[in-house]
Amino acid sequence: MIGLENIIFLIVAAIGIGLFVWQIRKIRKNVLMGRDLELADNTSERINKTLLVAFGQQKMFKRMLPAVLHLFVYVGFLVINIEVLEILIDGIFGTHRILGFAGILYSGLMAINEILAALVIVACAIFLWRRNVTHVPRLWNGVEMRAWPKLDANLILITEIVLMLALFAFNISDLKLAQLRGAHIAGAFPISSLFVNALGSDPETLHVIGRVGWWFHILGILAFMNYLPSSKHFHIIMAFPNVYYSKLLPKGKFTTNPAITHEIKAMLDPSYQPPAPEVDAEGNPVIQRFGAKDVEDLTWKQLMDSYTCTECGRCTSVCPANMTGKLLSPRKIVMDTRDRMEEKGEHPAIFAPNHYKEMGVERVEVTEEKTLLRGYITPEELWACTSCNACVEACPVNIDQLSTIMDLRRFLVLEESAAPASLNAMFTNIENNGAPWAFSPADRFNWADELYVPSKN
Amino acid sequence: MAEMAANGEEPEVLFWVGCAGSFDDRYKRVTRAFVQILEHVGVKYAVLGTEESCTGDPAKRAGNEFLFQMQALTNIEVLNGYNIKTIVTACPHCFNTIKNEYPDLGGNYEVIHHSTFLQQLINEGKVHVKGGEAFKGQRITYHDSCYLGRANDIYEAPRDVLAALDADLVEMKRVRANGLCCGAGGAQMFKEPEPGNKDINIERTEEALATLGAGNGVIATACPFCMVMMNDGVKNKEQEESVKVFDIAELIAQAEGLSK
Ligand code: SF4
Ligand code: SF4
């Protein structure tokens, strides 16, 4: 029974999926702009973490209300994929509810699906309320939360509601049509059956409504899929790999730069033989940049982080620097990295403005002088960080904002000697006195002299 | 340490004093309190004395990886030279750096923070503060150090130590993994804060004071930087008469009657 409608469907679906694959390749290319990093270790620990944090939503449960609402949308998303599969098969082969043969299993699936779809609508409505009416501060405030991120968030929520409504339109008309014919259709529809009389009883109209609902739903999903790479909603895909590759070491452990180690060892011991410097394809030595000035100095994981960010602001809302009015916002660091990456590399095909600048701003010319550091992120932001790891702890998708901040700081200090004067004084003290303060190393043991003298203050 | 080595002896633990513990007048009292505890329980310990140097933590957090590695490699040479295996320190920054960052550079030791060390002493019954009336009815609130807590997942040891005191332990709103920084980490200790509308230590002190309520109370810390920041905060709020800031080692030493 393959007809014109099915052929059109096939073409549309192929275009939608093809476009998506093409977009993903762009993103992959952007992420691979970053430095190499070996993260293939500890597979079992990584799988565990992914199950807990990504599939299990563990870190979301630090805040109960959004966690529960988000859980509805998330489980809804997982379950609806089974229905999308059915839609694809039906669409291609002109079948109708092909999975219906599964009997009670199918009924159960449909029933769960309907309940989840209803919960998704409720959750999204509350989310819209929280964003636009009660203005939950972390979703509303911050220089990085300009026109696009706010619109993006609303578009996603509205789209999800509309997609669910389309699904209901399809189910309700299907149900009503079956009722009119006195036939039985596969599946159980606890929500739709409440509304069977809402659509009137003209079979022609019902048929049209059903088809429109069906087409709208699947076209919507295809369009939405292609919208993802332009959106914070991309986290529904990226959360899984990003958590898988997240840092397993203690949060306090910062990276060590081996190139520096060789240099110092050679300085301390003239007989030390550092390994031959890395060479590029043409045999020229690779110039090592210490720290990060631009996106290609960051690792691919740090770049992947920025594609995973949900812009939820949990990091920024717990950042001590941010909450006391300093310029730093860890969310901005992550979003800046993404914007810069797309400015330098490829950018999504539709709805290009990932850029959180005011909409309408053209993509900026990529010039030599404009880099992530200074072009987007100012030293003042970087110097406000206490390296407290609160942002890292708070992030539901295991982004390591602090590592990016530290790499940018390293560039300021190691390549530009641009530390604040008081920090330079601290460096000098460590160099000369072995302590960050200007005390003589000879006095280091003085505390012991006073050991049995009760202190006076 | 040099003396011990000359006698062909090896300590059970090396007490890494740290720059604050060596030079900061307030924190020197913590160093002495901890040494008194070590003496009291008869642990065979040693200190490097003038051979110790900054671990390089503030340099590293400020982005000066070069200076950090310089310090680290020099320190590792000294530590390995004495064949040190176990290190205890009262400073979470020294603790974190030696434990997590020195291994990449050839320094492998068992590193224990003094809160864990004290917890062990209490568990083993070597320190038995119960019965000491010193803290009866006092309200104590513990301020989590970022470099102990989030950075290294040590939340319970300092609380266990405080629980051994006969005091009324109260928790602040933001604790453990959600704890609020004192504002000194990441080399902030050595510079003016960036412009904002409040200093971080004031925010944290306000929270501590609200938790302790009116009357006497103690803010317990387990980090030299936290101690400075909380002390400054308490002074800023003109509460230094009623609210004291103590390191957990000082509290134990007091409860054991080792110091006043
Ligand atoms: S580590 Fe830095 S950016 Fe992250 S919460 Fe702490 S101060 Fe803010
Ligand atoms: S970095 Fe993490 S916590 Fe911060 S806004 Fe993005 S997803 Fe949320």
Side-chain angles (χ1 to χ4, degrees), chain B residues 13-204:
Chain B
V13 293
L14 179 91
F15 172 31
W16 184 276
V17 181
C19 299
S22 305
F23 294 118
D24 181 89
D25 279 336
R26 175 67 188 85
Y27 216 67
K28 279 201 262 184
R29 289 179 7 217
V30 177
T31 305
R32 292 196 287 269
F34 188 61
V35 162
Q36 280 163 336
I37 296 170
L38 291 172
E39 303 257 350
H40 174 67
V41 297
V43 178
K44 199 165 149 196
Y45 73 97
V47 292
L48 285 177
T50 51
E51 286 184 277
E52 195 183 286
S53 188
C54 176
T55 57
D57 161 82
K60 183 162 188 116
R61 311 298 135 182
N64 196 336
E65 180 70 11
F66 199 90
L67 180 56
F68 161 72
Q69 290 202 16
M70 199 71 186
Q71 287 298 116
L73 287 165
T74 319
N75 281 325
I76 289 168
E77 204 171 328
V78 174
L79 291 166
N80 290 353
Y82 285 125
N83 195 24
I84 297 300
K85 300 203 176 57
T86 311
I87 297 174
V88 61
T89 178
C91 174
H93 295 266
C94 299
F95 167 75
N96 175 68
T97 302
I98 302 178
K99 174 173 170 284
N100 295 323
E101 288 163 356
Y102 277 24
D104 283 353
L105 300 167
N108 293 290
Y109 321 99
E110 186 195 356
V111 192
I112 310 169
H113 185 252
H114 80 323
S115 58
T116 312
F117 192 81
L118 290 170
Q119 179 197 31
Q120 282 165 7
L121 290 179
I122 292 168
N123 289 349
E124 289 164 9
K126 293 192 180 142
V127 170
H128 20 72
V129 279
K130 288 268 193 242
E133 297 285 292
F135 295 96
K136 190 132 202 130
Q138 276 244 39
R139 287 166 84 78
I140 300 185
T141 190
Y142 171 67
H143 161 77
D144 282 284
S145 144
C146 304
Y147 272 83
L148 211 53
R150 275 189 297 268
N152 288 290
D153 282 324
I154 298 179
Y155 300 110
E156 298 315 319
R159 290 186 166 79
D160 287 353
V161 171
L162 292 172
L165 303 169
D166 208 4
D168 186 6
L169 204 54
V170 282
E171 292 284 5
M172 288 187 247
K173 208 171 93 219
R174 290 172 282 206
V175 288
R176 294 195 172 87
N178 302 322
L180 179 69
C181 181
C182 69
Q188 298 296 332
M189 181 75 189
F190 305 99
K191 62 185 260 300
E192 284 302 310
E194 312 305 314
N197 45 37
K198 200 193 246 183
D199 285 348
I200 296 170
N201 64 329
I202 303 297
E203 170 86 12
R204 186 55 162 171

Side-chain angles (χ1 to χ4, degrees), chain A residues 251-257 261 323-324 326 383 385-388 406 409 413 422 434 444 450 457, chain B residues 19 29 32 52-54 60-62 69 96 100-101 104 147 150-151 174 181 185-186 188 191 197-198:
Chain A
K251 289 193 186 67
K253 181 183 165 86
F254 291 4
T255 52
T256 313
N257 185 328
T261 317
M323 75 178 69
T324 53
K326 279 110 187 146
W383 290 120
C385 174
T386 72
S387 75
C388 71
M406 284 311 304
R409 258 195 200 180
V413 172
S422 48
R444 202 175 249 284
E450 303 152 45
N457 41 2
Chain B
C19 299
R29 289 179 7 217
R32 292 196 287 269
E52 195 183 286
S53 188
C54 176
K60 183 162 188 116
R61 311 298 135 182
Q69 290 202 16
N96 175 68
N100 295 323
E101 288 163 356
D104 283 353
Y147 272 83
R150 275 189 297 268
R174 290 172 282 206
C181 181
Q188 298 296 332
K191 62 185 260 300
N197 45 37
K198 200 193 246 183

Side-chain angles (χ1 to χ4, degrees), chain B residues 241-258:
Chain B
E241 285 307 315
S242 54
V243 175
K244 303 279 178 222
V245 184
F246 283 120
D247 185 272
I248 56 170
E250 292 178 297
L251 294 171
I252 294 297
Q254 282 176 37
E256 282 283 89
L258 299 173

Side-chain angles (χ1 to χ4, degrees), chain A residues 315 318-322 328 330 384-392 401-402 405:
Chain A
C315 53
V318 296
C319 172
N322 187 276
L328 173 63
C385 174
T386 72
S387 75
C388 71
N389 264 307
C391 50
V392 181
Q401 305 89 335
L402 179 53
I405 295 175

Side-chain angles (χ1 to χ4, degrees), chain A residues 8-50:
Chain A
I8 296 175
F9 175 82
L10 197 63
I11 293 170
V12 170
I15 292 175
I17 292 169
L19 191 62
F20 183 65
V21 171
W22 181 56
Q23 302 231 60
I24 293 296
R25 288 193 47 177
K26 285 182 167 187
I27 293 198
R28 197 182 127 83
K29 222 169 135 191
N30 282 354
V31 166
L32 291 180
M33 236 195 287
R35 281 196 295 110
D36 234 0
L37 181 69
E38 198 51 62
L39 283 179
D41 58 330
N42 297 315
T43 316
S44 59
E45 197 184 343
R46 292 188 183 282
I47 291 175
N48 254 336
K49 212 169 193 166
T50 311

